[in-house]
Amino acid sequence: QGASTDGSSVFFTSEQPLLSGDTDSTNNLYECRLPGDKGSPLMPVAKVNACPDLVRVSVPVSSAGAEVQSVAAISKDGSHVYFIAQGALTGENAEGESPTAGAENLYVWEAPVPAHPQGRMTFVATQPSATLLGVAQATPNGEDFVFTSPGDLTPDDTSGAAQAFLYEAQREALTRIS
């Protein structure tokens, strides 16, 4: 699905459960964190673990599956991934809205930081389809995400026409900007 610019984080989907204890056979989003090159000469090794640090990004809050539909954007540093899934992966967002199981829910996953050592998943909005209109873009650090959607995603949007939206991950705020 994509990777950080330096290649240290690679994101992919799979219907096959890849981690112990994982029984979800719907499409899931994973991050493979790769060790960095320290500049030393390459040494042959007998056994290679292609992904020594594998993380399941799309963990549902119930027994239903994640059902990842598409990845909208990955920040250049790999710290934020915006994606659409039909599973309920979180509870309410800061605006009091909840994902709807079976609907096209837009989420942002943030990589682990000291404040959130397991990473953080946030529900952004429910979309009318699994793909966003036009080009969706995240800033290099992933804190801001701009996309176009035909859905009425904010209380001030009742037009039914496609609108441009800005999601600010730090504030967990969705704003209609068109």
Side-chain angles (χ1 to χ4, degrees):
Q1 298 292 321
S4 60
T5 303
D6 67 1
S8 63
S9 290
V10 177
F11 297 90
F12 65 95
T13 57
S14 176
E15 291 181 357
Q16 179 180 348
L18 300 177
L19 297 170
S20 63
D22 183 3
T23 59
D24 182 1
S25 61
T26 69
N27 206 32
N28 279 277
L29 179 61
Y30 292 90
E31 177 192 22
C32 178
R33 297 178 189 151
L34 300 170
D37 177 13
K38 306 288 188 238
S40 58
L42 297 175
M43 304 297 284
V45 292
K47 194 173 186 181
V48 174
N49 181 351
C51 186
D53 194 4
L54 183 63
V55 175
R56 181 174 168 203
V57 171
S58 57
V59 179
V61 294
S62 69
S63 61
E67 298 185 48
V68 173
Q69 302 299 302
S70 62
V71 173
I74 299 170
S75 64
K76 287 186 178 196
D77 64 3
S79 66
H80 292 71
V81 180
Y82 292 86
F83 67 98
I84 295 175
Q86 291 182 344
L89 308 182
T90 67
E92 284 186 352
N93 62 16
E95 295 156 344
E97 300 292 328
S98 296
T100 304
E104 310 299 340
N105 302 302
L106 175 63
Y107 296 97
V108 59
W109 175 81
E110 298 176 57
V113 294
H116 303 284
Q118 302 301 317
R120 183 171 76 157
M121 180 75 65
T122 305
F123 168 66
V124 177
T126 298
Q127 295 289 116
S129 72
T131 55
L132 301 173
L133 300 176
V135 177
Q137 290 187 309
T139 54
N141 68 1
E143 288 293 327
D144 297 310
F145 176 61
V146 177
F147 64 99
T148 304
S149 174
D152 295 338
L153 306 183
T154 57
D156 65 332
D157 181 12
T158 58
S159 68
Q163 300 286 321
F165 295 91
L166 167 66
Y167 181 75
E168 298 171 87
Q170 191 82 23
R171 294 185 329 119
E172 295 184 35
L174 180 62
T175 306
R176 182 174 60 99
I177 56 174
S178 62

